[in-house]
């Protein structure tokens, strides 16, 4: 069984690898030697170094107190989440799953072996509590691929104790720098080993780059009559220039989010499913909103798969939202309006639905269709199917796309307002909600190019989305309450409280519908495009 540890550390190097007197660091009462440990780690990656390109490390290590398999994901500079699994001869399935969005069908193989003699010291406070662990590592790196190569160096590593204050590391660094010890130029031992063990350094291609796609062997998903490609040339620093640059930058950020959130979704991290669903919807909305920039024939297959993925993610997310909404509503009721084991039944319903939905979702993430979708997105970004307007200035092209989406939204909202309350209006408002999200995402993509007007559009759409979302959540909540009430009644329990909750949800829906005309009038008058 794997477990996760947040690792906060800093690396240093010096000409003589000697440690300064760390008892002079504020808060350090003593420095206690813990002896020397021999560590032997083999790092695994694909032939095109997909993990290294994402600053992800996967190793099998013997020696020390934490021998086993270690998978590390970057969180922030100097901060990583390390997921550990027991020592075994082969990579544990649970760790293999956590890198699948990056590795896909590529083989993981040993790429570097690092053998280190680690001289460990503990920095302790006056109560003998651990503040940080300092180690001097003498490293021997050996490349296991290609023509091989070796390197040797010594580095100093300072790792903050569990639940320690990160500001303490600033004090340690101040002392280190004063003694002539400098921060390491490499982010990790693996990064340094890859750079120093090969005569001609191979730079690992970033996911989605042309080099990465060439190494992966993927091809852009284009229709037989796809429009000819048009070159897009952002500035050397990566700043978008053309309309195509801005659309691709937004797409690339969402593709990256889709890949990076995969491990968190598998681990059932709170809010991870929601964030992945949003990234999926942003991707689909963008290829649909900016059809003057991206050829529809080429992006159509990806759009269809993104719609499918969003729906699958929605099964878990919708249940999560409903459970939270109903639990909070139940908690607000006075005691005399709660009869029967409502809380227990609601909790059991929520847990059962979540387990089933999560199990299905993990299977979706492992499916060939999902992994092929990720390859297709990489290919589209590596060789984008740009149309003529992609080379134009972004102001008119992006503004026109946002305005077009808003026009479609306006027709949906006005149609819904003409309908009497009831199921038909509920459906119309739900369609308007979906179009609100699409307009919002188009405006988000345009913010770097259009500035304040696009930001204003995003704010307006978020406000409208909140109002329409509350209405739709009430529709779904009432449907669920009818089902739960029927089950409770069949079990001989009182269904009174479910009726009270239903009435509350009906009231919330009416309030949202009554607030909509004024809110829409204000938004439509002031919409900047």
């Amino acid at each position: 069984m794997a477990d996760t540890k947040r690792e906060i550390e800093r690396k240093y190097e010096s000409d003589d690898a000697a440690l300064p007197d760390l008892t002079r660091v504020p808060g350090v009462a003593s420095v206690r030697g813990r002896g020397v440990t021999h560590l032997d780690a083999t790092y695994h990656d694909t032939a095109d170094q997909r993990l290294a390109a994402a600053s992800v490390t996967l190793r099998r290590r013997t020696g020390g107190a934490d021998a086993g398999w270690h998978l590390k994901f970057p969180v922030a500079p100097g901060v990583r989440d390390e997921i550990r699994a027991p020592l075994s001869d082969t990579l544990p399935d649970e760790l293999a799953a956590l890198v699948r969005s990056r590795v896909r069908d590529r083989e993981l193989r040993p790429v570097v072996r690092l053998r280190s003699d680690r001289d460990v010291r503990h920095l302790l406070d006056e109560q003998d509590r651990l503040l940080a662990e300092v180690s001097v590592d003498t490293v021997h790196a050996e490349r296991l691929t290609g023509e091989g190569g070796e390197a040797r160096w010594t580095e100093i590593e300072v790792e903050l104790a569990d639940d320690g204050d990160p500001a303490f590391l600033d004090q340690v660094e101040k002392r280190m720098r004063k003694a002539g010890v400098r921060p390491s130029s490499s982010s990790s031992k693996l990064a340094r080993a890859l750079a120093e063990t090969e005569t001609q350094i191979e730079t690992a291609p970033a996911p989605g780059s042309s080099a990465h796609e060439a190494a992966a062997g993927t091809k852009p998903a284009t229709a037989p009559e796809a429009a000819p490609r048009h070159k897009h040339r952002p500035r050397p620093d990566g700043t978008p220039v053309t309309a195509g640059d801005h659309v691709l930058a937004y797409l690339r950020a969402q593709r990256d989010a889709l890949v990076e959130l995969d491990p968190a979704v598998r681990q059932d991290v709170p809010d991870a499913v929601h964030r992945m669903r949003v990234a999926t919807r942003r991707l689909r909305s963008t290829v649909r909103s900016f059809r003057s920039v991206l050829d529809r024939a080429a992006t159509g297959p990806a759009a269809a798969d993104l719609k499918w993925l969003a729906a699958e993610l929605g099964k878990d997310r919708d249940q999560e939202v409903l459970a939270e909404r109903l639990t909070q509503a139940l908690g607000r009721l006075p005691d005399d309006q709660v009869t029967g084991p409502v809380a227990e039944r609601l909790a059991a319903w929520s847990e059962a639905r979540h387990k089933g939905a999560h199990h299905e979702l993990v299977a979706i993430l492992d499916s060939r269709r999902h992994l092929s979708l990720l390859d297709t997105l990489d290919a589209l970004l590596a060789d984008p199917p740009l149309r003529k307007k992609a080379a134009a200035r972004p102001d008119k092209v992006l503004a026109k796309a946002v305005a077009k989406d808003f026009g479609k939204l306006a027709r949906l909202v006005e149609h819904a307002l003409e309908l009497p309350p009831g199921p038909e209006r509920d459906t119309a408002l739900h369609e308007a909600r979906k179009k609100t999200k699409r307009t919002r995402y188009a405006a988000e993509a345009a913010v770097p190019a259009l500035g304040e007007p696009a930001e204003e559009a995003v704010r307006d759409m978020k406000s409208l989305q909140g109002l329409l979302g509350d209405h739709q959540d009430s529709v779904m909540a009432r449907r669920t309450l009818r089902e739960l009430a029927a089950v409770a009644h069949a079990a001989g329990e009182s269904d009174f409280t479910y009726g009270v909750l239903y009435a509350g949800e009906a009231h919330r829906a009416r309030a949202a519908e009554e607030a909509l005309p004024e809110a829409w009038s204000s938004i439509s008058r002031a919409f900047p495009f």
Side-chain angles (χ1 to χ4, degrees), residues 379-454:
L380 287 171
L381 287 165
D383 186 15
L386 299 176
R387 301 183 67 189
K388 186 175 181 179
K389 287 187 178 180
R393 291 176 51 185
D395 45 6
K396 291 184 179 180
V397 174
L398 302 188
K400 185 176 180 180
V402 177
K404 186 175 181 180
D405 278 344
F406 184 75
K408 295 177 181 178
L409 168 63
R411 290 190 288 274
L412 289 173
V413 173
E414 290 160 8
H415 170 66
L417 292 175
E418 294 173 352
L419 296 171
E424 188 177 356
R425 176 186 263 195
D426 292 343
T427 299
L429 290 174
H430 182 46
E431 291 301 314
R433 179 196 184 194
K434 291 190 288 185
K435 189 64 68 176
T436 301
K437 291 180 180 179
R438 177 169 162 180
T439 308
R440 171 188 168 184
Y441 299 150
E444 285 180 351
V447 165
L450 306 182
E452 177 56 32

Side-chain angles (χ1 to χ4, degrees), residues 203-219:
T203 303
S209 68
S210 298
H212 182 229
E213 300 310 328
T218 55
K219 297 181 180 180

Side-chain angles (χ1 to χ4, degrees), residues 165-187:
D165 183 359
F168 175 71
L169 294 183
D170 294 334
Q171 297 295 329
V172 175
E173 179 157 324
K174 184 177 180 180
R175 176 62 188 144
M176 290 282 198
R177 287 179 177 271
K178 190 172 183 179
V181 179
R182 58 191 178 276
S184 176
S185 57
S186 297
S187 59

Side-chain angles (χ1 to χ4, degrees), residues 335-342 493-498:
D335 292 343
D336 62 354
Q337 293 185 15
V338 180
T339 60
V342 182
E493 300 167 4
S494 170
D495 56 7
F496 170 77
T497 301
Y498 300 100

Side-chain angles (χ1 to χ4, degrees), residues 111-312:
V111 292
V112 167
R113 182 183 183 186
L114 294 182
R115 285 169 284 180
S116 306
D117 290 322
R118 169 165 289 183
D119 188 359
V120 178
R121 296 166 178 80
H122 284 179
L123 306 187
L124 307 172
D125 66 8
E126 292 182 349
Q127 284 75 45
D128 230 23
R129 293 175 300 197
L130 180 66
L131 299 171
E133 181 176 285
V134 180
S135 61
V136 179
D137 294 343
T138 303
V139 184
H140 174 206
E142 179 184 2
R143 174 76 70 137
L144 302 177
T145 59
E147 297 180 359
E150 297 185 10
R152 289 178 170 80
W153 71 87
T154 300
E155 67 179 36
I156 299 169
E157 186 176 290
V158 182
E159 182 175 348
L160 188 68
D162 293 346
D163 301 320
D165 183 359
F168 175 71
L169 294 183
D170 294 334
Q171 297 295 329
V172 175
E173 179 157 324
K174 184 177 180 180
R175 176 62 188 144
M176 290 282 198
R177 287 179 177 271
K178 190 172 183 179
V181 179
R182 58 191 178 276
S184 176
S185 57
S186 297
S187 59
S188 68
K189 288 183 175 67
L190 176 61
R192 183 166 182 174
L194 289 172
E196 295 190 10
T197 60
E198 198 153 33
T199 303
Q200 182 177 357
I201 298 174
E202 296 179 356
T203 303
S209 68
S210 298
H212 182 229
E213 300 310 328
T218 55
K219 297 181 180 180
T222 57
E225 300 299 325
R229 301 293 197 255
H230 295 272
K231 292 183 178 180
H232 57 102
R233 295 180 178 177
R235 294 189 178 97
D237 63 357
T239 303
V241 177
T242 66
D245 292 338
H246 283 276
V247 172
L248 291 175
Y250 190 73
L251 284 174
R252 189 169 291 109
Q254 305 315 314
R255 185 280 313 274
D256 290 349
L258 202 61
V259 172
E260 292 165 4
L261 285 166
D262 183 283
V265 171
R266 292 174 184 273
Q267 293 177 293
D268 207 11
V269 173
D271 204 41
V273 172
H274 170 61
R275 292 162 60 200
M276 180 180 277
R277 190 185 189 193
V278 169
T280 303
R281 284 176 162 171
R282 282 172 169 157
L283 282 162
R284 179 170 180 258
S285 294
T286 302
V287 298
R288 298 178 72 200
S289 293
F290 297 103
R291 290 173 177 172
S292 64
V293 174
L294 295 168
D295 179 50
R296 181 179 181 180
T299 61
D305 283 343
L306 287 166
K307 181 180 181 180
W308 160 77
L309 179 59
E312 295 296 338

Side-chain angles (χ1 to χ4, degrees), residues 47-48 62 68 89 166 199 279 360 431 463 498 506 518:
D48 56 351
T62 59
D89 292 336
T199 303
E360 291 179 9
E431 291 301 314
S463 174
Y498 300 100
E518 182 177 350

